[in-house]
Amino acid sequence: MTVSLTADDWPIAASMLSFGSAPRSGDPAERGRWRDDLQEVADAGFTEIDLTDSWLPFGDLTDEQTRLLRETIDEAGVSAVSLSAIRRSVIDEEHGDDHLAFAHRTLDRAAELGVGVVSFGLHRALTDEQRKQLWFWTVAGHRDRDADEVRSLAASRFRELGRHAAEVGVLLSLELYEHTLLGSAASAVRLVEEIDLDVVGLNPDIGNLIRLHEPVEHWRDIVEATMPYANFWHVKNYSRDEDAVAGWFSAVPSYLENGLIDYRSSVKIALASGFQGVICTEHYGGDGLSMSAANRDYLRTRVLPRRPVEVGRSRVRQHYPEGRNR
């Protein structure tokens, strides 16, 4: 199969992660903040954005707020091609039901905003101890129990969300994240196979796994195992050093081209696996938007194919409905 996307038109979205939390009432003053943030992304050369819900809680927006947001996005001249909903695990022992309801509302809002793919995960809110650190991943947070009843609940709830996603015409993607049921390549693949819907795939955010200050899977093993199921992709990188004998590990954010993960090789593996989805650039620390723009340029000028190439066959749907997330 020949992929029609090339370096020139591959959708590469800027994450809104670096903009913090924006007000959501939609009154003129607060809507100005939306406009300023989106214009800043456009000025950095992005034509696509990822609506990260740490910026706005999309599942809690009213009809009017949603309408105003879509107008503001259009005015900024960017396209909302993806939405990332984070830190609201649907298997949370205390808040899981509420998070599931929020996820359903998020899918509806995503469809209304013209988004083609929505990413969910099983990661929880940061603990107080994690918030005290320079880099939150240096302190362990919540760990999912890998028990049959927990895995069954996760598969059931994501299957429910997947069916809803199909009804409203979006893809659903599950983000790899440390110490959850999506915290290793094998566990993530097992979960998406248990869900068994072609509109539900993986978001192989490899950076979330290799940044841990502990032994980690090799990045290539993660890429090769998860890419056949990928329908969306958060990309970021970390410089990592370790002395396994002494039990010493360190990781800090870096440019895509400088870190541990070889994204040139990763993209080749992705293409061989049939990946044709949205790529979202993320970064923690410093000028996250400029880092994301530099990473976008690296992908466009040195990594993504310059002309249509033969790709493999994906295990999950890549575009739904046709062309929506492109």
Side-chain angles (χ1 to χ4, degrees):
M1 180 173 62
T2 301
V3 62
S4 58
L5 294 174
T6 67
D8 292 329
D9 60 2
W10 204 294
I12 303 178
S15 169
M16 298 302 291
L17 187 67
S18 60
F19 288 94
S21 178
R24 70 169 191 252
S25 73
D27 68 31
E30 293 184 352
R31 190 182 173 201
R33 161 70 189 278
W34 302 353
R35 186 180 297 108
D36 290 346
D37 289 352
L38 293 167
Q39 188 59 55
E40 199 167 340
V41 172
D43 290 344
F46 282 96
T47 54
E48 292 94 10
I49 58 169
D50 175 77
L51 293 173
T52 319
D53 80 345
S54 58
W55 183 62
L56 281 175
F58 303 100
D60 289 337
L61 296 185
T62 65
D63 291 345
E64 178 63 9
Q65 290 165 351
T66 304
R67 183 188 67 79
L68 290 172
L69 177 60
R70 179 149 194 173
E71 287 182 2
T72 309
I73 292 170
D74 291 342
E75 289 168 4
V78 294
S79 298
V81 292
S82 58
L83 190 156
S84 297
I86 60 176
R87 302 203 180 280
R88 289 185 174 90
S89 171
V90 296
I91 59 171
D92 184 287
E93 295 79 7
E94 184 177 357
H95 304 293
D97 290 346
D98 290 338
H99 292 170
L100 178 62
F102 180 88
H104 278 292
R105 297 196 302 272
T106 297
L107 287 171
D108 287 332
R109 293 308 185 198
E112 292 164 8
L113 291 165
V115 167
V117 58
V118 177
S119 176
F120 293 110
L122 290 172
H123 36 315
R124 313 287 179 103
L126 296 176
T127 66
D128 291 340
E129 190 61 28
Q130 285 178 310
R131 293 180 183 277
K132 294 176 184 177
Q133 311 306 314
L134 174 61
W135 306 118
F136 64 82
W137 55 85
T138 61
V139 173
H142 175 85
R143 290 176 182 260
D144 283 344
R145 287 191 307 117
D146 193 359
D148 289 343
E149 68 273 16
V150 179
R151 184 171 288 275
S152 176
L153 178 62
S156 174
R157 291 195 159 180
F158 281 136
R159 192 179 301 114
E160 176 184 328
L161 289 170
R163 288 171 176 149
H164 183 180
E167 289 172 0
V168 298
V170 301
L171 297 176
L172 191 150
S173 197
L174 305 181
E175 179 182 355
L176 269 61
Y177 196 88
E178 66 257 28
H179 301 150
T180 71
L181 296 181
L182 294 160
S184 73
S187 183
V189 167
R190 178 183 167 189
L191 183 58
V192 80
E193 287 184 338
E194 288 169 341
I195 295 165
D196 194 26
L197 293 174
D198 70 350
V199 298
V200 180
L202 292 177
N203 168 7
D205 193 334
I206 314 155
N208 286 344
L209 306 189
I210 64 99
R211 68 189 176 193
L212 298 180
H213 285 201
E214 61 188 60
V216 296
E217 291 181 80
H218 194 285
W219 64 265
R220 184 181 292 274
D221 294 337
I222 301 171
V223 176
E224 290 178 343
T226 60
M227 270 301 165
Y229 300 86
N231 58 6
F232 179 51
W233 195 5
H234 283 172
V235 295
K236 55 179 178 280
N237 214 346
Y238 294 84
S239 295
R240 181 178 174 89
D241 194 12
E242 61 181 59
D243 182 340
V245 174
W248 181 87
F249 308 90
S250 178
V252 294
S254 74
Y255 288 100
L256 283 193
E257 61 185 313
N258 292 346
L260 178 69
I261 304 163
D262 175 359
Y263 274 96
R264 182 183 296 275
S265 296
S266 296
V267 167
K268 291 177 181 176
I269 295 168
L271 291 172
S273 303
F275 178 70
Q276 300 178 62
V278 173
I279 298 173
C280 170
T281 57
E282 293 186 319
H283 186 79
Y284 285 101
D287 184 350
L289 178 60
S290 289
M291 288 289 287
S292 292
N295 290 336
R296 174 205 63 213
D297 293 345
Y298 162 70
L299 292 171
R300 287 212 193 279
T301 60
R302 298 198 290 285
V303 174
L304 290 169
R306 303 303 306 171
R307 59 189 62 83
V309 298
E310 292 293 317
V311 299
R313 184 171 296 279
S314 173
R315 302 284 187 91
V316 294
R317 195 176 301 187
Q318 295 292 303
H319 302 295
Y320 186 66
E322 177 144 5
R324 180 169 191 164
N325 61 347
R326 290 171 55 188

